[in-house]
Amino acid sequence: MDGFPVATISADSRRNTEQGSPARAGKDKRSGQPQYVATFVVNLATFSYGTCIGWLSPATPTLQSRVTAVGRNDVTEDDTSWLRSLVFLGFLCGIPFFCYVSDKFGRKVAGLSTAIPAIISWLIIILGSSTKLVLVGRFFAGLSAGGVLLIVPIYVAEISEDSLRGALGTQVAIFADAGILFSYVVGPYSSYHDFAIICLAVPVTFLATFLWMPETPVYFMVKGEFKKARRSLRWFRGGKSHDMTDELTRMSVSLKETQGRNSSRSLIMNLLLDRAVRRALIIGIAVSTTQILSGLYVILSYNAADVSAISPLIVSLILLTAAILACLLMDRAGRKLLLVSSEIVMGIFLTFMGVYFYLEGQGVDLSNVSFIPVVCLGLHLFSFGAGVGPVNVVLLSEIFPPHVRSVCASICIFVMALLACAVSAFYSDLNNATGIHGPFWFIAAWCFLGAVFAKHCIPETKNINVHSIYAELRGRECSLIRVKKSYDMRHTSNEYKLQIALPSEN
């Protein structure tokens, strides 16, 4: 350890870091401002993703009109289906590419790169004179979407303090829902080309503003660039030096333990042999699977439960309101409580919808309670938006060790995309085999299973640093901060020293 200084952490400082204090709370407000600014800027890419998803709904009537915006021939129903499907194809292609860029060149470069296919997509839609060109544009939109959903949560998690990580991570869901709502509000009242120009301005603005944001300190630490990591952390903490040494110490020790233990292993061996990484990956895949099989995609894609009674505008409003509530509760109630509660509530309302359609199929007169599907759907949407949706985004960005974070998150998001395609392919077959009630009961059962899994297998990560999360997933106490809800510091000496691989700033 020659050439590296000794970091001294006082017991009082450690207690304030672990348990919080009034003095620290006042500092957090000031030091948190740059984190909020950076989170807002990077989530302009998420807002752009939302406008991309929402664009198809207001654009479809124009594309299918006789005087179409892309040539003399009308856009058929098959073409509209391809406009939706090519986004998924681009999504699947974009995930591995942006994963590589993120690990090779950094989160910032990968984030900036997501704007390029988005800009290309809107330029093709604006200038394209045929349906085929619009289809190509949608593919590029999918490329950008895959990168945004991978990079933005990771960037936000790696710049955030432990006490702010949940609230800031939830901004991804808020900005995505806000982008979709923006499309539903502005799209119908704008011309086809004007709306595309407005949407183009969003990724351009993101590119121009995010260019000035720093790289994450965690990425610099992974690459061994400690001076840059210190400068980056100072920027994100508002230039305040309080507890920065403690935070850099935790980062250094965490990376030393995770990378040092696994430095001789290949990536695949890390995924298979490291218990913490393996458990985190299982958790990520399970929660991602629950997100797709929770029923939202099925109901909205196939108009199950007669969702035509609820307009897309109302759906997006419900999801946005729920995401804002999740932001307020994420660091108070915790990820686990929100996840378990939302899955139970979704399962209950899906069961009610299944019973309703089963009785309707048996010829029972339900005209007096015909409001049940709409009410259940609205509550189901709200439960999803306040629980599974935003919690999954936060979990995928914080449960994986930094050196495998991009790869593991990519695997989980890739599984989500594949499951969405599988649902599209097999939903009709299940519906025909069991009746309309069958899929609702199947999805409800999956939600209940997801709640049981979350209760017993997912650790609570609220206000816990990555080092402690990694230690808990390994089933051990970490060497720096023990995995406990509280810490008794009465019998700890005033100061203790930790050797860390962190060079001085000189």
Side-chain angles (χ1 to χ4, degrees), residues 22 52 68 155 361 380 396:
C52 161
T68 180
Y155 183 87
H380 173 272
L396 292 186

Side-chain angles (χ1 to χ4, degrees), residues 146 149 161 204 209 235 271 299 341 372 389 392-393 409 415 457 465 480 482:
L149 293 187
E161 296 178 68
V204 171
T209 54
W235 191 93
L271 298 180
I299 293 172
S341 301
I372 287 180
N392 188 37
V393 173
V415 168
C457 301
N465 62 73
L480 181 62
R482 299 186 304 172

Side-chain angles (χ1 to χ4, degrees), residues 208-238:
T209 54
F210 189 62
L211 187 64
W212 302 99
M213 295 296 106
E215 178 60 82
T216 71
V218 174
Y219 178 78
F220 282 136
M221 293 288 283
V222 170
K223 295 300 182 180
E225 300 180 12
F226 303 108
K227 291 184 179 180
K228 292 182 179 179
R230 179 181 288 273
R231 287 197 295 267
S232 173
L233 187 64
R234 182 183 291 111
W235 191 93
F236 285 115
R237 300 301 178 260

Side-chain angles (χ1 to χ4, degrees), residues 10 16 21 206 267 386 497:
S10 69
N16 290 342
S21 69
F206 162 72
L267 176 62
K497 296 183 178 181

